[in-house]
Amino acid sequence: MYPVKSIRKKSSIRKLKNSTCSMMMSTIHEAFGTTSDGSHVGFDVILYGSVTVIIFLFWRAFRFYRNRIVIPVYDESKGHHWNPIDILSNVVYCNVCRGIIVNGVFCDLCGICADNSSCHHQADTKIPCKLSAVSATDDKPQQHHWVEGNLPDNSICATCGEDITEEETLKDFRCCWCQRTVHEDSRCFDHTREAECDLGVYRRYIIPPVCIKYQKRWVKGRKSKVVHSMTSLKPASNWCPLIVIGNRKSGSSEGETVLKAFRYILNAIQVIDTTALPASGLYWCQLLNKYHPDTVPWILVAGGDGTIAWVLDTIDQLKLSPQPYVGIIPLGTGNDLANVLGWQIPPAISTANYVMDCLKQCKVVEFDRWQVKISPPMFGLSFSYKSYVMNNYLSIGVDALVALNFHQTRDSRIYSFFGNRFLNKIMYGGYGLKDVLERKCSQLNEKIKLEIDGVLQSLPQIESIVVLNISSWSGGINAWPINRCSENPIPEQSYNDKLLEVIGVKSTLHIGQMMIGLSEPYRFPQGKSIVIKVFDQLPMQVDGEPWLQHPATIRINWHGQVPMLKIDKSSRES
C-alpha cells in the first residue's frame, strides 16, 4: 500500500492541473466569444474549419507534386538504352568482345552494339553513354562522343577526306553528336579526339547537353534526374530546337522506329513518347520561351490525324506564345492533313535523315481551325453542349459509318496481332462494300437540316454530308476540284481563308467513283458559319474520330489559326 501523504500529494497535483486547464479553456472561450458549456459554437467552427483548410491545402499540394510536368533526363550512369538488333539487315560487331553479333542489342542513344550474353552488362560499366544534360556546376564546352566501329556505308574521314574502307573488324570512330567519322590511326583520330564538337549539319535543331542543367528530384516515388534550367548558349545563329512527339505504337509500331532514329541524331530528351510522357514535349516550349524568348521551337508529330489534333489542342490549352511550328511524320492510315501539307511517309532505312532534309525545305503557313459545338435538345431547349476543334473535316452519314465500323474492329484483340496500314485500307473498302448492300444512311436529307451563313439549304438525295477545311478527304480524295473551264467556275479551296466547303455524297459507290475521278460531289456554297440540325440517330465523325450522334444542333464557327510547316510539292520531288 502507498503512504497516505503521497496519495494526498498526487491528489493535490491532479486538482491543480484540472484547475489550470479549466482556466485556460475559459480564457479561450472568452477570447472567441464562447461559453464553457458549449452554448456558442464559434470556437468549434473555427477549430474544425482550420483543420479542414489545412487538410485541403495539403491534398492540393500533394496532387500538384504528383501531377507536375517534368522533363526527365536519361540517367546514363545506369547503363545504355538497349534495343534488339535486326541481324538480317545489319552485320555489326560487339564493342566489348569485338566479335560478330548473332544475337545482340544496340543503344539507340550512342549507337554501341553488344552481345546478348554478358557483353551488354560489361558495356554498361565500361563504355559511357551519350549525355543528355549536365549538372549545374559543369561548365565544360561541348565535346565529341566517339564510338568505335560499325560505321555507316560510304563513310569519309573528316580529317583527311579519304574514304573509310569496309573491313570485317571493329575499326575507326564515329561521333554520335556531329555524325563525323575518322580513321583510328593517330594521324586522323588524335587530331580531333579532344576538339570541341559543333554538332554537325543538324546543329540548328539540336539542344546540346551543355545547355541543359539537371537536378535530382523525387518523381513518382523515386529520385530521378529532371531538367532544371537552361543556359543562354545557342549552337547556331538560326537555332530552332526540334521536339519530336510520337506514339511508339502508332502505324503498326512504326512509331517506335521513328523515335529510335531521332534519339540517335538529336538529344534524347528532345524525343517524347506520348504513351509515357504526353505533356513533356510541349512543356519544352514553355521552358524555351523562358530562357530563349526570341526562339521559336519546331515540333514534329509522328502519328495520324488524331495525334496531330491532340498536340494542337494541347498547344491551345497551354496558350504558348510564340506558338511552335508544327510538322508531321505521317504514320496513320488516311494522313489527310499530311497530304495537304506535303509530308510523306518516310523510308524505313533512313527515316531521321530523310525528315531532317525535308525540314530544310519547309515554309511556315497559317492553318485554320474550327470550333464544333454539339447541343442536344432538352425539353425543346439546349442547355449544354459538347465542344470539339476540327482541323480536317466533319461528316455525317455513310463515310462516318464506315469509319465507325473500322474503329470498332480496331479495338478488338485480334486486330492487335494483324493490324497494319495495308490491312486498314482493305478493311475500309470491305465496310464500304457492305454499306452498298445495306444502305443504312439512305434518305439522309430527310433527317437533317443545313444552314450556311444563316441561309437554309435545299438538300438533294444524299447519304452523307461533309464539311471540309482541307482539300484531302477519306484518305486522299480531292473533293473540291477547281474547274476553270466552266461557265460557273468553282471557287478555290484554301486551309487559311476562314471559309469552309460543304459537299453532299450520294452513296458509298459514289465515294469510289470520286476516288478515280469518274464523278463529282454535290457542292453547296462556301461559308463562315455552318449549322446542321440532326433529327435522328446518325453516325458522325470529326477528323476521323467517329461516334453515333443523337438528335442535336451542330454549330461550326472559326476558332483560330496555328502555324504549320509545309513542304512544297516541287521541293518534295527534288
Side-chain angles (χ1 to χ4, degrees):
M1 297 183 64
Y2 295 102
V4 177
K5 289 184 178 180
S6 62
I7 296 174
R8 290 177 179 176
K9 186 176 180 179
K10 291 182 180 179
S11 152
S12 61
I13 292 173
R14 190 180 298 111
K15 289 180 179 180
L16 180 62
K17 288 182 178 179
N18 293 337
S19 62
T20 304
C21 292
S22 300
M23 291 176 60
M24 292 177 62
M25 291 300 298
S26 62
T27 304
I28 293 173
H29 284 302
E30 290 177 1
F32 287 96
T34 62
T35 60
S36 59
D37 59 355
S39 59
H40 184 49
V41 294
F43 171 74
D44 296 330
V45 171
I46 294 176
L47 177 63
Y48 292 121
S50 302
V51 173
T52 304
V53 170
I54 292 173
I55 294 174
F56 176 75
L57 293 176
F58 177 79
W59 175 72
R60 291 298 300 269
F62 177 75
R63 286 197 62 187
F64 172 77
Y65 170 77
R66 288 295 302 271
N67 299 328
R68 62 181 176 174
I69 301 174
V70 296
I71 302 176
V73 176
Y74 184 77
D75 192 351
E76 71 284 347
S77 64
K78 297 181 180 179
H80 294 270
H81 197 259
W82 298 113
N83 292 272
I85 293 176
D86 183 8
I87 62 173
L88 297 179
S89 58
N90 296 287
V91 178
V92 292
Y93 298 87
C94 178
N95 284 87
V96 178
C97 69
R98 311 182 73 83
I100 295 179
I101 293 179
V102 178
N103 180 22
V105 291
F106 76 99
C107 175
D108 61 1
L109 302 185
C110 65
I112 72 164
C113 302
D115 278 323
N116 229 347
S117 55
S118 61
C119 290
H120 75 281
H121 295 296
Q122 297 180 38
D124 287 336
T125 57
K126 293 181 179 180
I127 304 176
C129 192
K130 184 179 177 181
L131 290 174
S132 295
V134 297
S135 62
T137 58
D138 193 348
D139 56 355
K140 295 180 181 179
Q142 179 67 42
Q143 300 289 328
H144 289 287
H145 187 107
W146 296 108
V147 175
E148 186 180 10
N150 298 317
L151 272 60
D153 298 336
N154 303 320
S155 298
I156 298 176
C157 180
T159 302
C160 65
E162 298 179 0
D163 293 339
I164 297 178
T165 58
E166 299 181 14
E167 297 185 13
E168 294 182 359
T169 181
L170 197 71
K171 191 178 179 182
D172 303 323
F173 291 91
R174 174 187 78 258
C175 175
C176 56
W177 281 113
C178 64
Q179 312 303 323
R180 289 186 175 91
T181 54
V182 295
H183 288 113
E184 66 177 2
D185 56 39
S186 58
R187 180 174 57 93
C188 296
F189 185 56
D190 290 348
H191 182 72
T192 57
R193 180 194 296 265
E194 302 297 334
E196 293 186 17
C197 181
D198 63 357
L199 304 177
V201 294
Y202 299 135
R203 68 177 68 92
R204 179 186 179 188
Y205 309 107
I206 298 175
I207 304 177
V210 295
C211 293
I212 306 167
K213 306 298 181 181
Y214 73 82
Q215 68 175 192
K216 291 189 175 182
R217 292 182 184 175
W218 286 96
V219 180
K220 295 183 178 180
R222 64 176 64 182
K223 203 166 188 180
S224 307
K225 289 183 178 180
V226 298
V227 174
H228 175 255
S229 61
M230 295 186 67
T231 65
S232 58
L233 177 66
K234 290 185 178 181
S237 57
N238 57 347
W239 189 48
C240 50
L242 180 67
I243 309 299
V244 180
I245 301 176
N247 186 335
R248 64 175 181 268
K249 299 179 181 179
S250 295
S252 302
S253 298
E254 290 179 359
E256 186 174 6
T257 303
V258 171
L259 296 179
K260 289 177 184 178
F262 278 98
R263 286 194 194 102
Y264 183 72
I265 288 183
L266 305 175
N267 193 328
I269 58 179
Q270 295 177 243
V271 183
I272 309 297
D273 184 1
T274 57
T275 58
L277 303 162
S280 297
L282 297 174
Y283 181 65
W284 261 117
C285 301
Q286 294 180 329
L287 191 67
L288 288 166
N289 185 40
K290 178 181 178 181
Y291 293 96
H292 299 277
D294 58 335
T295 300
V296 180
W298 290 19
I299 294 178
L300 274 179
V301 183
D305 292 335
T307 307
I308 299 166
W310 173 82
V311 170
L312 296 179
D313 289 342
T314 308
I315 291 174
D316 274 352
Q317 294 171 7
L318 295 178
K319 298 180 179 179
L320 299 177
S321 180
Q323 287 186 324
Y325 302 155
V326 181
I328 304 170
I329 304 176
L331 298 179
T333 302
N335 301 318
D336 290 296
L337 182 55
N339 292 335
V340 171
L341 297 179
W343 294 90
Q344 287 186 336
I345 300 173
I349 299 177
S350 57
T351 298
N353 293 326
Y354 171 84
V355 176
M356 298 296 271
D357 291 338
C358 289
L359 289 175
K360 301 176 183 178
Q361 304 163 358
C362 285
K363 67 177 183 179
V364 181
V365 296
E366 295 295 329
F367 183 79
D368 288 336
R369 305 187 74 212
W370 298 84
Q371 187 78 34
V372 179
K373 292 184 177 180
I374 303 176
S375 306
M378 296 179 63
F379 306 106
L381 301 174
S382 297
F383 295 99
S384 62
Y385 62 87
K386 293 181 180 180
S387 181
Y388 303 88
V389 179
M390 182 187 76
N391 301 311
N392 302 347
Y393 47 78
L394 175 151
S395 67
I396 301 173
V398 64
D399 62 320
L401 177 62
V402 173
L404 180 61
N405 290 332
F406 169 75
H407 276 253
Q408 290 174 348
T409 303
R410 190 171 66 172
D411 293 337
S412 64
R413 294 183 179 180
I414 298 177
Y415 176 85
S416 60
F417 294 99
F418 304 101
N420 57 64
R421 186 179 293 109
F422 180 71
L423 180 61
N424 292 347
K425 293 184 177 181
I426 293 178
M427 291 173 60
Y428 264 104
Y431 284 122
L433 292 175
K434 178 183 176 183
D435 188 76
V436 171
L437 302 175
E438 296 180 348
R439 303 197 65 181
K440 291 185 177 181
C441 297
S442 60
Q443 298 180 345
L444 181 73
N445 50 298
E446 299 179 2
K447 302 174 184 178
I448 64 173
K449 284 186 178 180
L450 172 66
E451 293 181 8
I452 301 178
D453 291 338
V455 179
L456 183 64
Q457 303 295 317
S458 176
L459 299 179
Q461 291 274 349
I462 56 175
E463 292 188 10
S464 180
I465 188 165
V466 186
V467 181
L468 296 167
N469 182 44
I470 60 176
S471 58
S472 180
W473 164 68
S474 191
I477 301 176
N478 185 3
W480 193 269
I482 302 172
N483 188 358
R484 302 185 184 277
C485 300
S486 174
E487 297 180 358
N488 299 316
I490 302 169
E492 186 174 354
Q493 184 184 31
S494 176
Y495 48 73
N496 55 13
D497 59 357
K498 301 180 183 180
L499 289 174
L500 288 170
E501 290 74 34
V502 185
I503 62 172
V505 179
K506 299 176 183 178
S507 64
T508 307
L509 185 61
H510 187 199
I511 296 177
Q513 293 172 340
M514 292 167 58
M515 285 184 177
I516 57 179
L518 295 180
S519 182
E520 293 186 356
Y522 184 91
R523 299 182 183 88
F524 296 93
Q526 293 175 304
K528 298 180 179 179
S529 176
I530 311 295
V531 178
I532 303 174
K533 295 182 178 180
V534 180
F535 304 109
D536 197 357
Q537 179 175 288
L538 294 170
M540 175 179 173
Q541 67 168 335
V542 174
D543 292 341
E545 298 297 326
W547 67 89
L548 277 177
Q549 179 59 52
H550 296 280
T553 300
I554 303 167
R555 292 179 172 85
I556 310 173
N557 294 286
W558 189 71
H559 175 71
Q561 289 184 328
V562 62
M564 303 284 289
L565 296 172
K566 180 182 179 181
I567 303 176
D568 290 334
K569 185 177 180 180
S570 57
S571 300
R572 185 178 64 185
E573 291 175 352
S574 65

